[in-house]
Amino acid sequence: GYPNVGKSSLINSLKRSRACGVGAMPGVTRCLQAVQLDRHIRLLDCPGVVLDSGGPPAAAPLRGALAPQRLRDPLTPACAILRRCPPQQVRGD
């Protein structure tokens, strides 16, 4: 799945314990981890995967592929987000 969509959090919720590390930034899950839910169910937690869509480089941060702190140019992705929002939503009308 995509980075930071809650894969590890869902597993922790189903397990009712902290079986997987979670965080607000991409990259917390670094390797595949098997979590035994019960006798018959084993869940796999894995790092997020973002396939190259061939789109512009500014699209990668929008898919959660890069942590905001690692961006050289945060303005371009921010402008792309604003272009997707209705003007009244940005203004707070």
Side-chain angles (χ1 to χ4, degrees):
Y2 282 105
N4 274 39
V5 295
K7 296 179 296 293
S8 300
S9 295
L10 177 63
I11 291 173
N12 287 343
S13 180
L14 292 171
K15 181 77 174 168
R16 294 195 172 128
S17 69
R18 191 172 185 270
C20 304
V22 297
M25 303 310 274
V28 173
T29 304
R30 298 202 178 269
C31 60
L32 188 69
Q33 176 184 356
V35 177
Q36 197 72 37
L37 193 57
D38 66 17
R39 212 173 87 202
H40 302 288
I41 299 174
R42 181 182 300 169
L43 302 174
L44 295 177
D45 189 24
C46 64
V49 176
V50 177
L51 301 175
D52 185 12
S53 66
L62 301 179
R63 292 190 305 265
L66 295 172
Q69 292 84 355
R70 296 185 60 204
L71 296 176
R72 290 183 187 172
D73 172 27
L75 192 58
T76 302
C79 289
I81 291 170
L82 291 174
R83 280 193 297 275
R84 294 179 180 195
C85 296
Q88 63 272 19
Q89 187 178 21
V90 176
R91 286 192 309 261
D93 292 348

